Amino acid sequence: MEKVYKTSSASETQKLGETFAKTLQRGDFLALYGNLGAGKTTFVQGLAKGLGVANRIISPTFVIIRSYGLGIMNSGSESKFYHVDLYRLRGEEDIEATGLLEIIQEQQSILAVEWPEKLKSLLPKKRYDITFSSVKEDERSITIIQRQE
Ligand code: ADP
Ligand code: MG
């Protein structure tokens, strides 16, 4: 299933993220592709809003991983929304140091990852591939593909 969207402002991209968030389930993994400035973080701001995250989303470029609480599940475990930016990551050894592999295993959390190509073979097979590209100054093309295991 592939869907293509066009947005003509940052707020439209946020709105798309907000709407898309309503279709997500715990355990979902979102791979966000696209050049710097293509709109990945802007989309994540909308996702967070749609998921009910209160905090303002800031780029995790220096921290790599930021987590936001989504509440406690019936199981007693905490459900989180993770925003991950792997731009500064170098090798697979670096990935182990971030703790990201453990986070990917969390069944109750939702992950949105910028620069997911850095995960290579560690990229989950069941995921959404969301690709951002700049068309013009304020225009972006956003393609969402749902991939199954
Ligand atoms: P990335 O995370 O992909 O590097 P950001 O979301 O941080 O990109 O930045 C996107 C930049 O482009 C922001 O400055 C935003 O205001 C601007 N922009 C202009 N038009 C759009 C649009 N249609 N969608 C998303 N961002 C847009
Ligand atoms: Mg970004």
Side-chain angles (χ1 to χ4, degrees), residues 92-110:
E92 294 201 3
E93 305 84 62
D94 272 14
I95 292 175
E96 278 178 43
T98 64
L100 185 59
L101 301 184
E102 288 74 18
I103 290 170
I104 289 173
Q105 303 305 320
E106 289 181 18
Q107 297 303 309
Q108 77 281 13
S109 296
I110 293 174

Side-chain angles (χ1 to χ4, degrees), residues 1-5 20 23-25 28-31 33 124-131 143-149:
M1 186 198 65
E2 177 173 322
K3 287 186 184 151
V4 184
Y5 301 90
F20 183 66
T23 71
L24 293 175
Q25 294 179 337
D28 280 347
F29 184 100
L30 282 62
Y33 304 90
K125 291 195 173 57
K126 183 176 185 292
R127 64 180 190 265
Y128 287 98
D129 279 335
I130 308 181
T131 305
T143 304
I144 302 181
I145 302 175
Q146 186 172 15
R147 301 202 187 279
Q148 303 296 340
E149 251 158 317

Side-chain angles (χ1 to χ4, degrees), residues 27-84:
D28 280 347
F29 184 100
L30 282 62
L32 310 176
Y33 304 90
N35 293 333
L36 282 176
K40 302 180 296 295
T41 299
T42 301
F43 183 83
V44 172
Q45 289 165 345
L47 278 179
K49 192 174 175 205
L51 290 170
V53 169
N55 306 52
R56 191 173 66 93
I57 294 285
I58 54 169
S59 178
T61 298
F62 296 96
V63 182
I64 295 186
I65 302 175
R66 280 186 182 276
S67 71
Y68 303 87
L70 294 177
I72 309 292
M73 304 293 286
N74 290 337
S75 59
S77 56
E78 208 201 334
S79 176
K80 288 180 182 154
F81 171 58
Y82 291 98
H83 179 201
V84 182

Side-chain angles (χ1 to χ4, degrees), residues 7-10 13 35-42 114 137-140:
T7 64
S8 43
S9 67
T13 296
N35 293 333
L36 282 176
K40 302 180 296 295
T41 299
T42 301
E114 299 185 39
E137 174 98 49
D138 291 328
E139 270 182 48
R140 302 289 187 273

